[in-house]
Amino acid sequence: MSPALVVLVLALLLGIQPVTTDLYLPTLPALTQALGARVSQAQLTLTALLLAFGFAQLVFGALADRFGRRPVLLAGLGAYVLAALGTALAPSIEVLIAARTVQGAAMGAAVMVARAMVRDLYEPAEGARVMSRALTGLGIIACLCAPLGGLVSDLWGWRAALLSTAVFGGLAFALIALRFRESLARPDPRALEPGRLVAAWGGMLRHPVFTSFTALTAAAYALLFTFLASSSFVFINVLGLSKPAYGLVMLWNSLSYIAGTLLCRRWLPRHGVPGTVCRASLLSLVGGVCMGALALAGVQAVWAIVLPLTLVMVAHGVHQPCGQTGAIGPFPQAAGAASALNGFVQMVVAFGVGAWLGVALEEHSTRPLALGIAFWGVMLALLAWTLVRRHGGAQPVANKAARSTA
């Protein structure tokens, strides 16, 4: 595959995540009311999706190491389209939660393979630059998702917005079927042996490079998920924005994220991965603490969230490409399993955040969103300045337990 095609494939596979979440966010208040659901039940349509997303990656990672990336992608994307159709037709909140759970599991195949594919084709340093280019594409997709979701929901209802995810999944399936070439040079015939797989995961969890970058990506995604899961309720129900105006807020955040991916590519050659992450974490810290302080001072205004969040989203555009490629870097022969375990940890943390938000959002205030982002901004700074600074510059050969998967 040409470099341009690789970046396009990565952007679409990684972009399926904001399509599944961001495009759906403007519809949350409307579908909650239409289906007669509570806020905590509506939150389950997001948190259950992410928990299934996390667990499914563990399965898909082993399957992708055993059979290759292409068949796993085709199966996952096919299931994603069917589940997306199910969400659009759901007659009750319970059915919607079930369909979103299946959709999240299927989404795991696309995102896991995308991360593993980068390690198949590139060394970690170059992989971070390629990943940042792909995440720029993801940012462009995310720019369109929330405004499009709000517009489609206003014109044709929330079911039409959910149907849009099936359209995107179908386009991604067609691209993979027609243009994707297998990136795994040597499938591992023993990758599905349970004992060997558990031993490999144990070895990864003991590897300081993997644990450092996985902790970073988990904190970064927890921060992002805090915003995603609470923003529609806060901006629409608490601050009184219309759905199109909320879409513009999401558009601005996506543009900030794109700026972060561009900054990442500029910083990497100068400062290396640890130095780049440390600089970005300062933005996370300043933005998060400012947002939390404004909320505690009783300032409930759109600017009090959007301005600090701009710094946070720029930093997120650095943390994700560096963190994801850094975690998988030591395991070139088990990239699927490493990608899956990294993604699983992220989603477990996000599920915990979602469970807390389901209760906290009953408070008619911006504080759950602001204080959650402040907490994770502080955690990102601590992780970057300790674990990533200490271990991030080393990419040692994977230990014996991890090498046994090769």
Side-chain angles (χ1 to χ4, degrees), residues 376-399:
W376 291 112
V378 172
M379 290 300 298
L380 278 168
L382 291 175
L383 291 168
W385 297 340
T386 56
L387 293 180
V388 173
R389 176 176 284 178
R390 185 178 306 130
H391 303 297
Q395 290 289 351
V397 177
N399 58 26

Side-chain angles (χ1 to χ4, degrees), residues 10 43 59 76-77 79 87 116 151-152 158 169 183 189 209 216 230 245 272-273 287 300 358 364 385:
L10 286 172
Q43 285 294 308
V59 177
L77 289 171
T87 65
L151 179 62
V152 171
W158 61 268
S183 63
V209 175
L216 181 82
S230 59
V273 173
Q300 293 205 116
H364 196 74
W385 297 340

Side-chain angles (χ1 to χ4, degrees), residues 131-151:
M131 181 66 86
S132 70
R133 286 194 288 270
L135 290 177
T136 300
L138 176 150
I140 294 171
I141 293 172
C143 279
L144 301 174
C145 284
L148 182 63
L151 179 62

Side-chain angles (χ1 to χ4, degrees), residues 345-361:
V345 173
Q346 289 184 56
M347 293 311 113
V348 169
V349 173
F351 182 81
V353 171
W356 170 70
L357 283 172
V359 176
L361 285 174

Side-chain angles (χ1 to χ4, degrees), residues 135-217:
L135 290 177
T136 300
L138 176 150
I140 294 171
I141 293 172
C143 279
L144 301 174
C145 284
L148 182 63
L151 179 62
V152 171
S153 178
D154 273 350
L155 292 176
W156 298 295
W158 61 268
R159 293 185 186 275
L162 294 183
L163 185 62
S164 301
T165 65
V167 174
F168 182 90
L171 292 174
F173 181 92
L175 177 67
I176 297 304
L178 296 174
R179 300 296 303 277
F180 183 80
R181 300 294 176 264
E182 181 59 58
S183 63
L184 181 63
R186 293 185 300 275
D188 179 6
R190 299 180 58 200
L192 294 175
E193 294 180 10
R196 204 155 162 267
L197 190 57
V198 170
W201 287 337
M204 291 170 189
L205 291 173
R206 293 191 298 272
H207 198 292
V209 175
F210 179 85
T211 53
S212 298
F213 281 112
T214 295
L216 181 82
T217 56

